[in-house]
Amino acid sequence: MVEGPFDLVYTSIGTIGWLPYPLVAWAKTIDALLKPGGTFFIRDGHPMLFSIDVDNQDGLVIGYPYFPTGEPIA
């Protein structure tokens, strides 16, 4: 276990979806790691965002499969 306290605790994309519910234990861990007045930064998003073709200039276009196909995306 990492010991704090820290000025910043960060979680990256996809964290929330893999955590067991309820999230109380996770939140208590974050609280224990933060200094008083510290910052908790969470960066997350819905998996649907990964299916959007960001290179397409015609608006929001689904360019990649949402569900696994077993094939790599090139």
Side-chain angles (χ1 to χ4, degrees):
M1 173 83 172
V2 176
E3 293 187 24
F6 297 99
D7 294 318
L8 173 71
V9 173
Y10 167 80
T11 61
S12 64
I13 298 172
T15 302
I16 295 290
W18 293 101
L19 292 172
Y21 290 93
L23 299 178
V24 174
W26 178 66
K28 286 181 179 180
T29 301
I30 293 165
D31 183 58
L33 291 172
L34 275 176
K35 286 182 180 177
T39 301
F40 171 52
F41 182 88
I42 183 169
R43 165 71 169 97
D44 217 320
H46 193 279
M48 186 67 188
L49 294 174
F50 299 115
S51 65
I52 296 172
D53 184 353
V54 296
D55 295 322
N56 191 304
Q57 301 299 311
D58 296 328
L60 289 176
V61 175
I62 304 301
Y64 305 98
Y66 177 75
F67 295 104
T69 64
E71 298 294 321
I73 297 174

